[in-house]
Amino acid sequence: MLYRKWGSKEDKVVTYTSSSREDVRILDKVKEVMKAHVIELFLSGNLSKEDARKLLQGINSFTKVDPSYEDVHEALEDHLIKTAGEAGGSIGLGRSRNDHVAAALRLEIREELMDLLEQLLDFRKMILKRAEENVNTPFVVYTHFQPAQPTTFGHYLLYVEEEVASRWSSIFRTLDLVNRSPLGSGAIVGTSVKLNRDRESNLLGFREVLVNTISATSSRADLISAVMEVVNLMLALSRVVEDMILLSSKFVGILELPDTHVSTSSLMPQKRNAVTMEVLRARVSRVLGYLTSIASTYKSLPSGYNLDLQEINPLFWEIIDETRTGIEVLHDLLSKVKVNEFKIDKEVLSTDEAEILAEKGMRYRDAYFAVAKAVREGKFSPTITPEQSIYRKAVKGSPSPERVRESISLARERLNGDENLLREYKNWTLKGEGELRLMENDILQEGN
């Protein structure tokens, strides 16, 4: 232990508060933040180039977090004190674990979100490809889980794509909230050391500085906003998962799931249980629980840093990991799921018949009641087929093949635009990271 002189490594109370095991997730980002701090100390005239070189070498040699330390920050500082000689004694100047962990968390979540968005782009491409393949594949949609009207599987898949595209945009917008630098804010009120916070921010590829030092060190609202949107994505996908389970049931039998996504019973050999979707459905509940735990912890804290905040960090990663795994599984299933041939109940054409009567001059509500009476009495006999019903749909976004192809084209334009947005954002962060590498290399080469 470096900071806390009471207790011992074997003291259970001390180990109880340690986050060292969980901090492995942000180890690389902690090192990046420390490098930016060392470079800024040098550039602001608070550290000699020789000392900066020794410290950067020490940071690069730090590869493992000893769980006996309170956290990765304490472990890294102690490592630098031991490996960089007297230079190690300067590493604590103008910094706190509070602003450093806040910066590392933002860097890690920024990267995780960009990777998730990239994965979602691939998912959407697959969905659009499958929608194009199924423009004319008969399908039935439900309201209240009762057969409602005929459509096509391509039309259904475009619903999935649009839901994911909307969630993509929501997650992307949170990047600007996350991508703000808290570095240089110290423990809560900054430091008397004249650090250039904007320069530190640029070195780490942040968009801007999170200005107020209290907010910078103790707020997690931006990170919570980001994972809320990730959970919202999972909520949307959960409804698709539910469709896959129900529509592949023998009671309905519209869909056939890939063999790799079903499992038989240990007793009943005829079963094709939708096991991957059942697990995914449960894990959506799990991430919702993680979000509830984060919110419950966060809402009861006074301003300023509290150690409770470290307890929500692992939940961020759990939400993101479960989401990425879930998308991978659903991607595989939707790329292979088949629509079975099935008989469409003629009653799903009731609305079409009422509209046809209205087109012939009858008031729609009168036509509605006439069709409803025929259905109740078992005398309903539609004048069109389900295929004709689909082709009759005139409005934008409906299942007629012409409209579906139009929707696919619009969705591809939107997807291409999203690809460009993400590429530009990644290039921005890489530019900052490139400047840090250049500065680091310049300082390290001085000693060669």
Side-chain angles (χ1 to χ4, degrees), residues 24-69:
V24 170
R25 180 71 174 242
I26 58 171
L27 173 59
D28 289 342
K29 299 302 182 292
V30 168
K31 291 169 65 174
E32 292 295 292
V33 171
M34 188 67 93
K35 286 180 181 181
H37 177 63
V38 169
I39 291 169
E40 177 53 33
L41 285 176
F42 163 67
L43 293 175
S44 59
N46 291 287
L47 194 68
S48 70
K49 199 167 190 178
E50 176 62 18
D51 281 354
R53 181 181 67 80
K54 291 177 181 177
L55 288 170
L56 290 173
Q57 288 174 334
I59 294 169
N60 286 331
S61 67
F62 182 71
T63 58
K64 187 176 179 181
V65 185
D66 185 335
S68 66
Y69 286 95

Side-chain angles (χ1 to χ4, degrees), residues 176 181 197 263 273 333 369 373 379:
D176 276 344
S181 175
R197 294 190 63 203
S263 179
N273 302 323
L333 181 139
F369 286 128
K373 183 174 183 292
K379 298 177 181 178

Side-chain angles (χ1 to χ4, degrees), residues 139-151 344-352 389:
F139 201 64
V140 172
V141 285
Y142 294 74
T143 61
H144 307 276
F145 203 62
Q146 301 291 335
Q149 292 183 277
T151 186
I344 296 179
D345 189 331
K346 65 181 181 181
E347 292 180 359
V348 301
L349 296 169
S350 298
T351 302
D352 291 282
S389 165

Side-chain angles (χ1 to χ4, degrees), residues 158-282:
L158 287 176
Y159 142 69
V160 178
E161 196 281 332
E162 191 159 291
E163 278 281 84
V164 176
S166 295
R167 303 285 65 76
W168 192 99
S169 296
S170 296
I171 294 169
F172 182 79
R173 284 194 293 269
T174 67
L175 274 174
D176 276 344
L177 293 176
V178 170
N179 202 16
R180 297 187 289 173
S181 175
L183 207 58
S185 296
I188 190 168
V189 296
T191 173
S192 57
V193 180
K194 293 182 179 179
L195 302 176
N196 186 326
R197 294 190 63 203
D198 292 306
R199 186 162 55 198
E200 287 181 308
S201 172
N202 291 335
L203 285 173
L204 292 168
F206 283 115
R207 282 286 207 185
E208 57 183 321
V209 167
L210 191 59
V211 178
N212 184 272
T213 59
I214 304 172
S215 172
T217 55
S218 64
S219 175
R220 296 294 183 269
D222 293 339
L223 308 187
I224 294 171
S225 292
V227 296
M228 278 181 171
E229 291 302 336
V230 174
V231 172
N232 196 15
L233 165 70
M234 285 292 268
L235 294 179
L237 293 179
S238 185
R239 302 187 71 189
V240 179
V241 169
E242 188 75 3
D243 286 346
M244 296 301 106
I245 294 171
L246 293 173
L247 297 181
S248 65
S249 164
K250 286 293 182 71
F251 290 114
V252 181
I254 292 178
L255 294 179
E256 180 181 330
L257 303 188
D259 290 345
T260 51
H261 287 265
V262 299
S263 179
T264 190
S265 160
S266 61
L267 183 65
M268 299 169 283
Q270 84 281 8
K271 299 293 291 298
R272 281 179 61 87
N273 302 323
V275 290
T276 59
M277 295 298 96
E278 291 172 355
V279 170
L280 180 48
R281 180 171 57 182

